[in-house]
Amino acid sequence: AACGIVSLEKMVCRLAEDHERARRLGEACKNVPGMSPLPVPTNIVMVDTERPADEWQHKLEEVGVQCFSFAPHRLRFVTHRDVGDDEVSFAIEKISELGREFG
């Protein structure tokens, strides 16, 4: 909860940037085989996966993309002040590559 409090008290002016980057990531996941992103109203991207989420998480972490296996077939990605446009582009590239490998 501390992260949320800091965001609301000190980072409000840039929350829209985090949300836009999350939407961009979610939109890109729509084009990845085996992924179905949920609507992205905030900076949290939830993606349902055909393959086990922990497989996606492990493979993505190997190439430098952090995510969390939220459920057996759901991943969670989060954008924040340390995740800029370049990092989102990198994540999209690696997720797409892995989608082709898994597909």
Side-chain angles (χ1 to χ4, degrees), residues 1 5 7 14 18 20-21 34 41 48 56 58 64 67 72-73 75 78 88 96 99 103:
I5 292 169
S7 293
R14 55 168 318 287
D18 295 338
E20 181 54 38
R21 288 181 179 118
D48 287 338
W56 280 93
H58 177 72
C67 61
H73 288 273
L75 290 172
V78 179
V88 171
S96 296

mmCIF file of all heavy atoms in Angstrom, residues 1 5 7 14 18 20-21 34 41 48 56 58 64 67 72-73 75 78 88 96 99 103:
data_model
loop_
_atom_site.group_PDB
_atom_site.id
_atom_site.type_symbol
_atom_site.label_atom_id
_atom_site.label_comp_id
_atom_site.label_asym_id
_atom_site.label_seq_id
_atom_site.Cartn_x
_atom_site.Cartn_y
_atom_site.Cartn_z
ATOM 1 N N ALA A 1 0.817 -1.191 0.000
ATOM 2 C CA ALA A 1 0.000 0.000 0.000
ATOM 3 C C ALA A 1 0.857 1.250 0.000
ATOM 4 O O ALA A 1 0.424 2.289 -0.480
ATOM 5 C CB ALA A 1 -0.924 -0.007 1.200
ATOM 6 N N ILE A 5 0.259 4.956 -1.891
ATOM 7 C CA ILE A 5 0.161 6.219 -1.155
ATOM 8 C C ILE A 5 1.156 7.237 -1.710
ATOM 9 O O ILE A 5 0.811 8.393 -1.954
ATOM 10 C CB ILE A 5 0.380 5.992 0.356
ATOM 11 C CG1 ILE A 5 -0.795 5.204 0.930
ATOM 12 C CG2 ILE A 5 0.561 7.315 1.090
ATOM 13 C CD1 ILE A 5 -0.573 4.698 2.341
ATOM 14 N N SER A 7 2.389 7.310 -4.707
ATOM 15 C CA SER A 7 1.904 7.699 -6.028
ATOM 16 C C SER A 7 0.813 8.749 -5.929
ATOM 17 O O SER A 7 0.827 9.745 -6.654
ATOM 18 C CB SER A 7 1.359 6.482 -6.782
ATOM 19 O OG SER A 7 2.395 5.605 -7.084
ATOM 20 N N ARG A 14 2.125 12.352 -12.910
ATOM 21 C CA ARG A 14 2.660 11.439 -13.916
ATOM 22 C C ARG A 14 1.957 10.083 -13.959
ATOM 23 O O ARG A 14 2.340 9.225 -14.733
ATOM 24 C CB ARG A 14 4.163 11.272 -13.754
ATOM 25 C CG ARG A 14 4.664 10.827 -12.421
ATOM 26 C CD ARG A 14 6.108 10.434 -12.470
ATOM 27 N NE ARG A 14 6.472 9.661 -13.623
ATOM 28 C CZ ARG A 14 6.130 8.383 -13.805
ATOM 29 N NH1 ARG A 14 5.437 7.746 -12.904
ATOM 30 N NH2 ARG A 14 6.503 7.751 -14.886
ATOM 31 N N ASP A 18 2.029 6.442 -16.694
ATOM 32 C CA ASP A 18 2.076 5.016 -16.343
ATOM 33 C C ASP A 18 0.882 4.282 -16.934
ATOM 34 O O ASP A 18 1.018 3.173 -17.463
ATOM 35 C CB ASP A 18 2.083 4.825 -14.824
ATOM 36 C CG ASP A 18 3.331 5.371 -14.166
ATOM 37 O OD1 ASP A 18 4.362 5.522 -14.849
ATOM 38 O OD2 ASP A 18 3.272 5.635 -12.953
ATOM 39 N N GLU A 20 -0.911 5.136 -19.568
ATOM 40 C CA GLU A 20 -0.790 5.072 -21.031
ATOM 41 C C GLU A 20 0.206 3.985 -21.436
ATOM 42 O O GLU A 20 -0.029 3.237 -22.386
ATOM 43 C CB GLU A 20 -0.373 6.420 -21.602
ATOM 44 C CG GLU A 20 -0.246 6.422 -23.107
ATOM 45 C CD GLU A 20 -1.480 5.930 -23.837
ATOM 46 O OE1 GLU A 20 -2.611 6.227 -23.410
ATOM 47 O OE2 GLU A 20 -1.324 5.211 -24.855
ATOM 48 N N ARG A 21 1.301 3.885 -20.738
ATOM 49 C CA ARG A 21 2.285 2.830 -21.045
ATOM 50 C C ARG A 21 1.682 1.446 -20.798
ATOM 51 O O ARG A 21 1.922 0.515 -21.564
ATOM 52 C CB ARG A 21 3.546 3.040 -20.221
ATOM 53 C CG ARG A 21 4.342 4.231 -20.700
ATOM 54 C CD ARG A 21 5.614 4.437 -19.908
ATOM 55 N NE ARG A 21 6.334 5.570 -20.446
ATOM 56 C CZ ARG A 21 6.598 6.686 -19.757
ATOM 57 N NH1 ARG A 21 6.240 6.785 -18.490
ATOM 58 N NH2 ARG A 21 7.260 7.672 -20.327
ATOM 59 N N GLY A 34 -1.394 -16.885 -27.791
ATOM 60 C CA GLY A 34 -1.462 -17.479 -26.466
ATOM 61 C C GLY A 34 -1.695 -16.488 -25.337
ATOM 62 O O GLY A 34 -1.658 -16.859 -24.174
ATOM 63 N N PRO A 41 -7.408 -0.387 -17.157
ATOM 64 C CA PRO A 41 -7.827 0.943 -16.718
ATOM 65 C C PRO A 41 -6.775 1.689 -15.886
ATOM 66 O O PRO A 41 -6.908 2.882 -15.650
ATOM 67 C CB PRO A 41 -9.064 0.651 -15.873
ATOM 68 C CG PRO A 41 -8.801 -0.709 -15.320
ATOM 69 C CD PRO A 41 -8.025 -1.445 -16.387
ATOM 70 N N ASP A 48 -4.289 -13.071 -19.522
ATOM 71 C CA ASP A 48 -4.547 -14.507 -19.450
ATOM 72 C C ASP A 48 -3.677 -15.204 -20.491
ATOM 73 O O ASP A 48 -3.465 -14.682 -21.590
ATOM 74 C CB ASP A 48 -6.025 -14.806 -19.698
ATOM 75 C CG ASP A 48 -6.898 -14.399 -18.520
ATOM 76 O OD1 ASP A 48 -6.374 -14.287 -17.398
ATOM 77 O OD2 ASP A 48 -8.108 -14.207 -18.729
ATOM 78 N N TRP A 56 5.671 -18.531 -18.674
ATOM 79 C CA TRP A 56 5.879 -17.205 -19.252
ATOM 80 C C TRP A 56 6.779 -16.381 -18.339
ATOM 81 O O TRP A 56 7.734 -15.745 -18.802
ATOM 82 C CB TRP A 56 4.545 -16.478 -19.418
ATOM 83 C CG TRP A 56 3.751 -16.857 -20.614
ATOM 84 C CD1 TRP A 56 2.773 -17.806 -20.676
ATOM 85 C CD2 TRP A 56 3.842 -16.288 -21.920
ATOM 86 N NE1 TRP A 56 2.247 -17.848 -21.949
ATOM 87 C CE2 TRP A 56 2.883 -16.930 -22.726
ATOM 88 C CE3 TRP A 56 4.634 -15.291 -22.479
ATOM 89 C CZ2 TRP A 56 2.699 -16.604 -24.063
ATOM 90 C CZ3 TRP A 56 4.450 -14.967 -23.817
ATOM 91 C CH2 TRP A 56 3.498 -15.621 -24.590
ATOM 92 N N HIS A 58 8.987 -17.222 -16.042
ATOM 93 C CA HIS A 58 10.371 -17.699 -16.016
ATOM 94 C C HIS A 58 11.111 -17.275 -17.281
ATOM 95 O O HIS A 58 12.219 -16.733 -17.218
ATOM 96 C CB HIS A 58 10.394 -19.222 -15.835
ATOM 97 C CG HIS A 58 11.764 -19.799 -15.881
ATOM 98 N ND1 HIS A 58 12.682 -19.621 -14.864
ATOM 99 C CD2 HIS A 58 12.388 -20.530 -16.837
ATOM 100 C CE1 HIS A 58 13.811 -20.234 -15.194
ATOM 101 N NE2 HIS A 58 13.657 -20.788 -16.376
ATOM 102 N N GLY A 64 14.988 -10.437 -19.171
ATOM 103 C CA GLY A 64 14.980 -9.117 -18.574
ATOM 104 C C GLY A 64 13.638 -8.422 -18.450
ATOM 105 O O GLY A 64 13.588 -7.211 -18.244
ATOM 106 N N CYS A 67 7.656 -9.712 -14.480
ATOM 107 C CA CYS A 67 6.210 -9.881 -14.376
ATOM 108 C C CYS A 67 5.959 -10.835 -13.221
ATOM 109 O O CYS A 67 6.899 -11.344 -12.614
ATOM 110 C CB CYS A 67 5.596 -10.391 -15.674
ATOM 111 S SG CYS A 67 6.201 -11.997 -16.207
ATOM 112 N N PRO A 72 -2.714 -19.451 -12.133
ATOM 113 C CA PRO A 72 -2.136 -20.485 -12.995
ATOM 114 C C PRO A 72 -1.996 -20.086 -14.464
ATOM 115 O O PRO A 72 -1.041 -20.475 -15.122
ATOM 116 C CB PRO A 72 -3.100 -21.660 -12.829
ATOM 117 C CG PRO A 72 -3.639 -21.490 -11.450
ATOM 118 C CD PRO A 72 -3.780 -19.996 -11.277
ATOM 119 N N HIS A 73 -2.923 -19.269 -14.967
ATOM 120 C CA HIS A 73 -2.867 -18.843 -16.367
ATOM 121 C C HIS A 73 -3.070 -17.335 -16.491
ATOM 122 O O HIS A 73 -3.717 -16.859 -17.431
ATOM 123 C CB HIS A 73 -3.913 -19.601 -17.197
ATOM 124 C CG HIS A 73 -3.529 -21.031 -17.408
ATOM 125 N ND1 HIS A 73 -2.740 -21.443 -18.438
ATOM 126 C CD2 HIS A 73 -3.797 -22.137 -16.668
ATOM 127 C CE1 HIS A 73 -2.550 -22.756 -18.353
ATOM 128 N NE2 HIS A 73 -3.176 -23.199 -17.280
ATOM 129 N N LEU A 75 -0.828 -13.550 -15.978
ATOM 130 C CA LEU A 75 0.350 -12.760 -15.647
ATOM 131 C C LEU A 75 -0.060 -11.351 -15.259
ATOM 132 O O LEU A 75 -1.074 -10.841 -15.736
ATOM 133 C CB LEU A 75 1.289 -12.651 -16.861
ATOM 134 C CG LEU A 75 2.024 -13.897 -17.297
ATOM 135 C CD1 LEU A 75 2.732 -13.640 -18.621
ATOM 136 C CD2 LEU A 75 3.024 -14.329 -16.239
ATOM 137 N N VAL A 78 3.318 -4.424 -14.356
ATOM 138 C CA VAL A 78 3.014 -3.133 -13.737
ATOM 139 C C VAL A 78 3.963 -2.087 -14.302
ATOM 140 O O VAL A 78 5.177 -2.303 -14.353
ATOM 141 C CB VAL A 78 3.169 -3.201 -12.195
ATOM 142 C CG1 VAL A 78 2.872 -1.842 -11.570
ATOM 143 C CG2 VAL A 78 2.260 -4.275 -11.612
ATOM 144 N N VAL A 88 9.026 -0.289 -22.036
ATOM 145 C CA VAL A 88 7.788 -0.889 -22.538
ATOM 146 C C VAL A 88 8.027 -1.475 -23.928
ATOM 147 O O VAL A 88 7.592 -2.591 -24.223
ATOM 148 C CB VAL A 88 6.627 0.136 -22.551
ATOM 149 C CG1 VAL A 88 5.413 -0.418 -23.281
ATOM 150 C CG2 VAL A 88 6.266 0.527 -21.125
ATOM 151 N N SER A 96 6.551 -10.579 -27.501
ATOM 152 C CA SER A 96 6.179 -11.019 -28.856
ATOM 153 C C SER A 96 7.069 -12.173 -29.323
ATOM 154 O O SER A 96 6.580 -13.138 -29.905
ATOM 155 C CB SER A 96 6.290 -9.837 -29.838
ATOM 156 O OG SER A 96 5.366 -8.833 -29.493
ATOM 157 N N GLY A 99 6.010 -15.235 -27.513
ATOM 158 C CA GLY A 99 4.732 -15.696 -28.046
ATOM 159 C C GLY A 99 4.919 -16.511 -29.312
ATOM 160 O O GLY A 99 4.248 -17.536 -29.514
ATOM 161 N N GLY A 103 4.045 -20.296 -29.520
ATOM 162 C CA GLY A 103 2.946 -20.581 -30.449
ATOM 163 C C GLY A 103 3.233 -21.768 -31.281
ATOM 164 O O GLY A 103 2.599 -22.681 -31.558
#
